[in-house]
Amino acid sequence: MAETSACARNGRVWETGDAGKVPYWVYTDQDVYQRELQRIWYGPHWLYCALECEIPNVGDFKTTTLGERPVIVVRSAEDEISVVENRCAHRGVKFCQARQGHTKDLLCPYHQWAYDLKGNLVGVPFRRGVKRQGGMPRDFDPGNHGLNRLRVEVVNGVVWATFSDETPPFRAYLGEKFWAHYTRVYDGRKLEVLGYNRQHIPANWKLMMENIKDPYHAGLLHVFFVTFGLFRADQKSAVDIDETGRHGILISRKGEQEVNDVTADLRNFQGDLKLADPRILDVVKEFPGEDTVGMITVFPSVILQQQVNSLTSRQIVPKGPAGFDFHWTHWCYADDTPEMKLRRTRQANLFGPAGFVSADDGEIIEMSQQGFSPSDMEEALVMMGGREIAPTDYMVTETAIRSMYRYWREVMGL
């Protein structure tokens, strides 16, 4: 009730029933953002944490942030990964500052409270006092003061966690249709990290979800894609959405570098562009079927990218209503040949903050936020392809954006 009042106080009510419009304030309002943290990020949703291969040995850990809460992802046993909040149960210290490392236990440097790798409190200096003076009260029970431990599933090499006991098992969370999309690439083979990129984008986190649910822009904004035939409006493509509307996938097939009626409508098409090193497009077919692109948005935290032979997870870390960090992890299969690993590494240059393609997205999303902020009672139009919400077998549509906001409104109660 208090949450409803907070949003209503600023007139933040989505009055229209028109699925083809999104009010700007969903990207700018602080109260809306706080509700998102509670209902979405800390609610019944699975959040991407890491690749299992990043912590291969017992004691290996990496830190990340889920919503705005810092966590430690640690291999706590040979066949077990734990995710615990990076916050000492004593004084709330974010005690682990390293991005990755190896440890025997989890130790807060402030008063040296020690936890085992599962987050259980195992050591409190001077708990019994010194010379019968001081110490913790007699009724202090270390069993009640461990680190907050999240539910975890490790699914074909990817570590997922949730703050909520109500979140269904990961496979049910995806649904059977998206389980098939997921396992097409994450098929159980061991994974290996090729490298990382990180960037901060001064824009609302949902704009990145939208970006990958919006194939309409890809054939217009990305000169590289269109010029070299990786993603064009004249290619056979599809948009699929799950039953809830929260997850989506863009599917496409690599086309040709040619001039036709599609490129005639593109003001920024540059047919005379040549690659100084054509090995970046040394593409080989490797997955079943004819599709060469599968860009999955697993709501709300990650984009699972397969673009020709480039494989990447893109984790979203919100930083307030007008900013998010974006963590890119480029990976390969552990049993790839050296030639394939090199091919994937070269193609990764298309993506990341300075990628030939993705640099466009970071800039245009920032420009969107700049347009929303001073006029937050206006509305964005997302009616390309109609107002319906359904999978399509073409890319000139915004149906997956409409489906995400249908789900978002249900969860947010707005």
Side-chain angles (χ1 to χ4, degrees):
M1 193 67 183
E3 288 180 339
T4 301
S5 299
C7 287
R9 186 171 60 244
N10 295 327
R12 306 311 189 195
V13 178
W14 198 325
E15 296 179 348
T16 177
D18 188 346
K21 297 179 180 177
V22 180
Y24 288 179
W25 51 258
V26 308
Y27 309 106
T28 61
D29 188 277
Q30 182 68 36
D31 289 339
V32 169
Y33 174 72
Q34 291 299 327
R35 184 183 290 208
E36 286 177 334
L37 288 176
Q38 297 305 317
R39 296 196 175 196
I40 294 175
W41 293 91
Y42 310 142
H45 298 88
W46 286 104
L47 306 177
Y48 174 91
C49 295
L51 299 182
E52 183 182 14
C53 62
E54 294 178 273
I55 47 173
N57 303 308
V58 175
D60 288 350
F61 71 88
K62 71 168 288 186
T63 55
T64 187
T65 304
L66 305 180
E68 292 192 348
R69 295 185 184 177
V71 300
I72 304 169
V73 186
V74 57
R75 185 170 290 277
S76 46
E78 288 289 346
D79 58 353
E80 180 185 69
I81 289 176
S82 297
V83 177
V84 295
E85 288 204 62
N86 186 0
R87 187 185 66 239
C88 182
H90 179 211
R91 299 286 288 275
V93 173
K94 180 187 172 185
F95 58 88
C96 184
Q97 296 290 317
R99 282 189 180 174
Q100 286 183 289
H102 180 86
T103 187
K104 293 181 179 178
D105 56 16
L106 302 173
L107 181 68
C108 178
Y110 198 0
H111 300 90
Q112 298 188 19
W113 282 36
Y115 306 86
D116 67 19
L117 298 179
K118 297 181 181 181
N120 299 306
L121 180 60
V122 295
V124 177
F126 308 137
R127 178 184 169 192
R128 306 297 184 192
V130 177
K131 296 181 179 179
R132 300 183 178 181
Q133 293 180 317
M136 298 297 285
R138 287 184 176 276
D139 62 354
F140 177 79
D141 181 358
N144 295 330
H145 297 280
L147 301 176
N148 186 33
R149 189 174 180 186
L150 280 64
R151 284 177 59 204
V152 175
E153 283 198 30
V154 181
V155 186
N156 290 3
V158 184
V159 183
W160 303 88
T162 178
F163 289 93
S164 173
D165 293 333
E166 299 177 1
T167 313
F170 182 75
R171 181 166 178 166
Y173 181 71
L174 285 186
E176 285 306 304
K177 186 167 59 171
F178 270 67
W179 176 253
H181 290 312
Y182 180 85
T183 54
R184 173 177 171 269
V185 173
Y186 297 86
D187 58 7
R189 281 182 282 175
K190 289 187 176 180
L191 313 183
E192 182 178 307
V193 172
L194 289 173
Y196 301 98
N197 296 118
R198 288 191 176 211
Q199 68 187 120
H200 178 78
I201 298 179
N204 187 269
W205 65 272
K206 296 187 294 299
L207 288 169
M208 183 50 72
M209 278 272 127
E210 289 185 21
N211 180 264
I212 306 300
K213 294 173 181 289
D214 168 19
Y216 173 38
H217 87 279
L220 296 165
L221 175 68
H222 300 307
V223 175
F224 192 99
F225 268 167
V226 177
T227 301
F228 299 107
L230 288 178
F231 204 104
R232 296 166 46 133
D234 56 353
Q235 294 170 202
K236 185 170 178 56
S237 304
V239 176
D240 203 1
I241 54 180
D242 76 312
E243 292 183 356
T244 69
R246 59 193 171 196
H247 310 310
I249 182 171
L250 306 185
I251 302 168
S252 188
R253 298 176 186 174
K254 184 179 181 301
E256 301 299 327
Q257 184 177 353
E258 62 180 358
V259 176
N260 57 22
D261 56 343
V262 170
T263 57
D265 286 339
L266 303 182
R267 295 189 178 188
N268 54 2
F269 178 67
Q270 299 182 43
D272 58 346
L273 282 181
K274 304 293 182 186
L275 290 171
D277 185 349
R279 291 178 298 175
I280 195 172
L281 293 183
D282 173 25
V283 174
V284 297
K285 184 178 183 306
E286 61 175 318
F287 296 106
E290 299 182 16
D291 301 328
T292 60
V293 179
M295 303 286 287
I296 305 176
T297 48
V298 180
F299 186 87
S301 67
V302 73
I303 296 149
L304 303 176
Q305 169 189 301
Q306 179 259 313
Q307 168 60 270
V308 287
N309 305 116
S310 175
L311 303 169
T312 304
S313 64
R314 309 182 186 185
Q315 183 187 8
I316 296 171
V317 179
K319 297 288 183 182
F324 66 94
D325 289 346
F326 208 25
H327 299 174
W328 304 69
T329 302
H330 306 284
W331 59 269
C332 65
Y333 298 106
D335 61 359
D336 277 346
T337 65
E339 292 77 14
M340 182 58 106
K341 290 181 181 178
L342 181 58
R343 177 179 289 111
R344 296 193 201 281
T345 303
R346 288 197 185 105
Q347 291 181 18
N349 286 292
L350 297 171
F351 306 102
F356 296 142
V357 175
S358 297
D360 304 338
D361 289 324
E363 185 173 9
I364 204 67
I365 287 173
E366 178 180 359
M367 292 163 64
S368 297
Q369 191 75 26
Q370 290 170 351
F372 298 149
S373 296
S375 309
D376 64 359
M377 297 305 286
E378 301 294 330
E379 296 172 316
L381 302 180
V382 288
M383 56 182 66
M384 181 58 68
R387 294 181 172 80
E388 297 76 18
I389 296 173
T392 69
D393 58 0
Y394 51 87
M395 70 164 64
V396 187
T397 180
E398 293 167 320
T399 185
I401 298 176
R402 295 191 289 273
S403 73
M404 182 184 77
Y405 280 108
R406 182 184 64 186
Y407 177 76
W408 184 90
R409 293 185 65 184
E410 292 172 0
V411 174
M412 294 286 286
L414 293 173

